[in-house]
């Protein structure tokens, strides 16, 4: 039987989720405003010293960052996990003597499941897969934001840039699992309750990277990710969609118009199940051919579709529900 939560526990969970949403939306801007403001006060040396440090430390995010177990094990992440709740499901073991690229689907509005599972230790990934260290790769531009970059690195996040991925897959030993949200901003615009659409068909860079370093490909599906927020979906060709696409092309992410269950920002309490699929063995090729890239890309899409259909019933979806791959 499920243990009933106390009012205090429910309140703490809501606050934990709200602080994460506010951090996701506003912390980066807040850090920039704070340091610029300090430049015009008697505390200007603090901003100056930090910017000097930031220049010296500029390449650290692309060299593995500065992961700290202290931040990844904050108690707040346990409450964050319990709010939905978020559950990690293993289908097979991952060999700690290999490196992996985990493709996470779908993006959703905020990739909530990806952050909880791979950006914190609250879901116990390293206990479920002993010897395998997950690294969530996110938008590289976020690591240009002062102070915010330190927060991201402390949680073990790294840029999804080529130099960063090369370091993780070739200079950090074995047992590395680089997690990439394949669909990115384009997929976030398709996020809507009752819809399971993934943007993969034209995205082959992660497959090429896997071939170059001999990293096995692992599909990961997050059931419930698209159910957390209601989003205004603008039709293709509309002014709203054109503005979203322009912003996405310029800034690297898409501005979604969404609303949650409480205070507009707190997501719906929908269970999220993160299913980690079976690895696809990938050979090492210094210069992979287009035929090889296409072959393993096709294998990946087939494995992702199979993973979805094998677990959709246990995750609350009807038998006739389909996964749309675009």
């Amino acid at each position: 039987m499920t243990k009933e939560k106390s009012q205090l526990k429910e309140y703490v969970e809501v606050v934990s989720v709200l602080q994460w949403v506010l951090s996701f939306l506003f912390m980066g801007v807040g850090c920039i405003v704070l340091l610029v403001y300090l430049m015009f006060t008697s505390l200007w040396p603090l901003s100056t010293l930090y910017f000097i440090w930031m220049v010296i430390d500029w390449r650290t995010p692309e060299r593995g960052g500065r992961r700290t177990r202290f931040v990844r094990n904050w108690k707040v992440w346990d409450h964050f996990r319990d709010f939905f709740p978020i559950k990690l499901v293993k289908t097979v073991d991952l060999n700690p003597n290999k490196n992996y690229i985990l493709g996470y689907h779908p993006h959703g509005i905020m990739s909530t499941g990806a952050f909880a599972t791979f950006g914190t230790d609250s879901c116990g990934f390293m206990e479920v897969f002993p010897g395998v260290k997950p690294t969530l790769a996110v938008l590289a531009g976020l690591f240009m934001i002062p102070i915010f970059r330190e927060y991201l690195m402390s949680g073990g996040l790294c840029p999804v840039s080529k130099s960063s991925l090369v370091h993780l897959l070739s200079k950090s030993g074995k047992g590395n699992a680089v997690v990439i949200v394949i669909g990115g901003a384009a997929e976030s615009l398709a996020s809507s309750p009752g819809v399971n659409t993934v943007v993969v068909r034209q995205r082959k860079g992660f497959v090429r990277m896997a071939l170059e370093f001999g990293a096995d490909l692992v599909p990961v599906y997050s059931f419930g990710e698209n159910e957390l927020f209601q989003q205004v979906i603008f039709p293709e060709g509309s002014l709203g969609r054109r503005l979203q696409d322009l912003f996405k092309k310029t800034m690297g992410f898409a501005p979604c118009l969404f609303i949650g269950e409480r205070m507009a920002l707190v997501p719906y309490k929908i269970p999220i199940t993160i299913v980690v699929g079976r690895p696809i063995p990938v050979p090492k090729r210094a210069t992979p051919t287009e035929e090889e890239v296409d072959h393993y890309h096709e294998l990946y899409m087939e494995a992702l579709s199979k993973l979805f259909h094998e677990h959709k019933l246990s995750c609350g979806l009807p038998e006739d529900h389909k996964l749309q791959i675009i």
Side-chain angles (χ1 to χ4, degrees), residues 11 23 66 172 175 179 197 299:
Y11 173 77
S23 297
R66 275 191 295 272
S172 297
V179 185
T197 299
L299 289 180

Side-chain angles (χ1 to χ4, degrees), residues 109 184-186 188-189 244-245 247-249 251-257:
I109 298 295
S188 68
L189 294 176
Q244 285 179 319
D245 289 338
F247 193 93
K248 174 167 65 71
K249 184 177 180 180
M251 303 298 294
F253 64 94
C256 301
L257 294 180

Side-chain angles (χ1 to χ4, degrees), residues 118-139:
F118 308 110
T120 78
D121 289 334
S122 62
C123 294
F125 182 92
M126 296 184 72
E127 286 72 43
V128 175
F129 299 100
V132 180
K133 182 177 73 174
T135 300
L136 181 60
V138 299
L139 190 65

Side-chain angles (χ1 to χ4, degrees), residues 187-243:
E187 202 169 82
S188 68
L189 294 176
S191 174
S192 182
V195 175
N196 284 280
T197 299
V198 296
V199 179
V200 185
R201 202 166 294 280
Q202 301 303 319
R203 306 211 167 188
K204 302 179 182 181
F206 72 102
V207 178
R208 187 179 302 278
M209 184 69 67
L211 280 163
E212 288 179 5
F213 296 99
D216 288 358
L217 291 166
V218 183
V220 178
Y221 203 86
S222 176
F223 291 91
E225 185 74 56
N226 282 346
E227 314 296 321
L228 304 183
F229 295 95
Q230 300 282 345
Q231 182 183 187
V232 177
I233 304 292
F234 294 103
E236 291 290 342
S238 66
L239 176 60
R241 188 54 176 257
R242 291 202 302 271
L243 289 173

Side-chain angles (χ1 to χ4, degrees), residues 270-297:
I270 303 294
I272 302 174
T273 304
I274 315 293
V275 185
V276 180
R278 180 181 297 274
I280 302 168
V282 176
K284 187 174 182 178
R285 299 282 189 267
T287 53
T289 64
E290 289 302 318
E291 289 75 15
E292 288 175 319
V293 172
D294 289 343
H295 172 71
Y296 286 97
H297 184 256

